[in-house]
Amino acid sequence: MLQKLVLKVDVHDQKTMTKIIKTTSILEGVDSVSVDRKANKMTVIGDGIDPVVIMCQLRKFFHAEIIAVGPAKEPEKKIEPKKEEQKQQEEGQMSKDEDQVKKDENAFA
């Protein structure tokens, strides 16, 4: 199960950001790392990541705090209606269209 870990880190410059990303990305189970320099937040997503291990590695070089730990949101799956239901809806629309044509013909007659 994918987990999402949001951390607060002090990112002063590009060199610091690069070191943070390298330190975190080599850890086991980490799939993606993103850093927001303006908000001083880092998001780590991975399968079976351990927040304690990540914090220990980061605190060797930087000040870091855990903001949130939880499951990563999986992309929502679109539920498509069954083919039979689609056919019934199309047939219902056709009968409505035919009724409209009949009404239009009656109006001109």
Side-chain angles (χ1 to χ4, degrees):
M1 182 175 158
L2 289 176
Q3 289 183 333
K4 180 178 179 180
L5 175 64
V6 181
L7 304 166
K8 180 179 179 182
V9 293
D10 294 328
V11 181
H12 302 291
D13 55 2
Q14 184 66 32
K15 184 178 178 182
T16 306
M17 187 173 77
T18 304
K19 195 168 184 180
I20 288 172
I21 291 172
K22 283 184 180 180
T23 303
T24 310
S25 64
I26 63 171
L27 297 174
E28 185 177 339
V30 175
D31 291 334
S32 68
V33 178
S34 63
V35 178
D36 183 9
R37 285 180 65 178
K38 292 180 182 177
N40 286 335
K41 289 184 181 180
M42 180 174 81
T43 304
V44 181
I45 297 175
D47 187 25
I49 58 174
D50 188 6
V52 175
V53 172
I54 293 173
M55 289 301 294
C56 289
Q57 289 295 319
L58 285 175
R59 286 190 176 168
K60 287 181 181 179
F61 307 108
F62 316 102
H63 176 72
E65 298 175 14
I66 296 177
I67 296 175
V69 178
K73 294 182 180 178
E74 296 182 8
E76 295 180 12
K77 297 179 181 178
K78 295 182 180 178
I79 300 174
E80 296 182 12
K82 295 180 181 178
K83 292 180 182 179
E84 294 175 6
E85 292 175 2
Q86 287 179 348
K87 288 180 183 179
Q88 290 174 356
Q89 289 176 354
E90 289 174 2
E91 289 174 2
Q93 289 175 351
M94 289 180 71
S95 64
K96 289 179 184 177
D97 291 338
E98 290 172 1
D99 292 339
Q100 185 66 33
V101 170
K102 290 180 183 178
K103 289 179 183 178
D104 290 341
E105 288 175 358
N106 292 335
F108 289 116

